[in-house]
Amino acid sequence: MSELQELRKKALNLSVSNRLSLLKDITDSLNEEFRPRRDLKAAIEGLRGIAKTDSPPPNDAEVEAMLEERLVEKYLKS
């Protein structure tokens, strides 16, 4: 009998509360496997404020001018 079959047989013999507890433990471990790594998330959080300045954000006209300047640099100054 394979290890998986043995585990399945043992799990089915557990009480309902123990099976639910086992199910929770398994789903928690799977969530950890598929969730982005916490160290990456912490790094992102740490970098979130790196670009903050004391000046107010640009208004629409300033953003439009920056975009136009970028396009000129990209396509006309090659």
Side-chain angles (χ1 to χ4, degrees):
M1 186 179 294
S2 74
E3 186 178 356
L4 179 59
Q5 289 171 332
E6 288 179 39
L7 286 171
R8 190 176 285 142
K9 185 177 179 181
K10 287 179 182 180
L12 293 174
N13 288 327
L14 294 172
S15 68
V16 172
S17 63
N18 284 344
R19 281 186 281 163
L20 287 171
S21 178
L22 178 60
L23 180 62
K24 182 185 179 311
D25 291 343
I26 291 172
T27 54
D28 288 348
S29 73
L30 289 171
N31 279 333
E32 286 298 318
E33 290 290 323
F34 293 111
R35 184 178 304 157
R37 300 284 182 228
R38 290 181 186 209
D39 53 342
L40 177 62
K41 187 175 180 179
I44 291 170
E45 288 298 321
L47 293 173
R48 184 173 294 232
I50 202 167
K52 285 186 178 181
T53 65
D54 292 331
S55 61
N59 61 33
D60 289 346
E62 292 169 328
V63 170
E64 187 71 32
M66 286 187 274
L67 290 173
E68 185 176 328
E69 182 180 315
R70 173 66 180 114
L71 292 173
V72 167
E73 287 176 8
K74 184 175 181 179
Y75 294 109
L76 299 178
K77 293 184 178 181
S78 298

